[in-house]
Amino acid sequence: METHRPTMSCILLFVVAAAAAGSRLATTTASSDGSGWSKGTATFYGGGDASGTMGGACGYGNLHWSGYGTDTAALSSALFNDGAACGECYLVECDCGASQWCLPGKSVTVTATNLCPPNHALSGDDGGWCNPPRRHFDMAQPAWLQIAQYKGGIVPVLYRRTPCVKQGGVRFTMSGSNYFVLVLITNVAGSGSVKAVWVKGSSTDRMPMSRNWGANWQSHAGLVGQALTFGVTSTDGHTVVVPDVAPSWWKFGQSFSSGVQFSN
């Protein structure tokens, strides 16, 4: 198998690259060269202002308010992992050895904020870019334009996980009802994604929470009127404990930012 290593110069003959691009775009499985880089493909969505990327399958809502901005991507299901990848950061560059539409020497760090669902009515080589087992990034248009030309449509990329850099602490947004609490966890640095959460009320014992969808974690205990402490474990195995981040007077719809953060 040919090994692809990303370069920051990409001095190439585009005529030769274009001839090879078709077969490489058809690749459906990721490969690594031993340095953590893998092969995938990328398209874009959401318009020039990325307004069409707000919301999404991670539940982050307004991506400007939640701190993710426009350098974001919807992941194919092979990468999304049923929401476990929400918040992960990826360094992505166009594989300019395989496409004439790349911007040589350019890369962008994107955050996973959405799912690009499969389209089984189309072939994975012809429109069904997010069909399993393809590793695909449907990027916000402003992010895409940092690595490729608009008219490229779809390009091969090289990508790897990279630490997420965040300002401020982990944020908790409360929703639910008197007998059901749903907590959206955002602004997670380090791995960016969350593996496990527990909650302890000022009048209740510590109890595990479960992923409801995306970055939303649930508890079926009655926690209204209690100060809440959360323990959050990232997907790289680090845990932060945030004592009493939600005071006893918290209300549904409120957000609370901790003074605790994972290492960037």
Side-chain angles (χ1 to χ4, degrees), residues 14-197:
F14 281 130
V15 173
V16 176
S23 61
R24 297 190 187 184
L25 282 174
T27 301
T28 59
T29 57
S31 65
S32 175
D33 64 5
S35 64
W37 291 89
S38 297
K39 294 188 296 182
T41 49
T43 50
F44 63 86
Y45 79 117
D49 61 356
S51 59
T53 67
M54 300 297 120
C58 289
Y60 293 138
N62 186 311
L63 298 178
H64 298 291
W65 179 86
S66 55
Y68 297 105
T70 61
D71 286 347
T72 62
L75 306 185
S76 63
S77 55
L79 292 171
F80 190 69
N81 195 19
D82 293 326
C86 286
E88 291 181 351
C89 297
Y90 294 84
L91 182 63
V92 182
E93 64 177 57
C94 191
D95 186 357
C96 50
S99 175
Q100 62 178 318
W101 306 118
C102 296
L103 299 180
K106 302 297 184 180
S107 63
V108 63
T109 297
V110 295
T111 303
T113 59
N114 202 355
L115 168 69
C116 181
N119 183 353
H120 296 297
L122 298 175
S123 165
D125 299 334
D126 185 20
W129 310 124
C130 292
N131 293 353
R134 294 182 65 99
R135 270 66 175 174
H136 186 82
F137 297 82
D138 197 14
M139 301 167 65
Q141 185 175 322
W144 159 278
L145 291 176
Q146 296 179 54
I147 63 168
Q149 298 178 52
Y150 180 90
K151 59 185 177 181
I154 178 171
V155 294
V157 296
L158 299 162
Y159 72 91
R160 64 176 174 84
R161 288 280 302 279
T162 191
C164 298
V165 177
K166 301 296 179 185
Q167 301 297 319
V170 179
R171 186 179 295 120
F172 302 84
T173 301
M174 315 297 295
S175 60
S177 68
N178 287 343
Y179 304 102
F180 170 78
V181 173
L182 191 67
V183 181
L184 173 65
I185 301 177
T186 59
N187 203 51
V188 177
S191 73
S193 50
V194 176
K195 179 181 180 181
V197 182

Side-chain angles (χ1 to χ4, degrees), residues 174-183 197-201 204-213 216-224 226 228 230 250 252:
M174 315 297 295
S175 60
S177 68
N178 287 343
Y179 304 102
F180 170 78
V181 173
L182 191 67
V183 181
V197 182
W198 57 260
V199 61
K200 183 184 183 308
T204 55
D205 293 332
R206 170 175 155 174
M207 63 193 78
M209 303 185 77
S210 58
R211 189 188 305 276
N212 183 290
W213 64 282
N216 290 277
W217 294 77
Q218 67 183 7
S219 171
H220 289 283
L223 299 173
V224 174
Q226 300 185 54
L228 302 181
F230 292 97
W250 65 265
F252 295 118

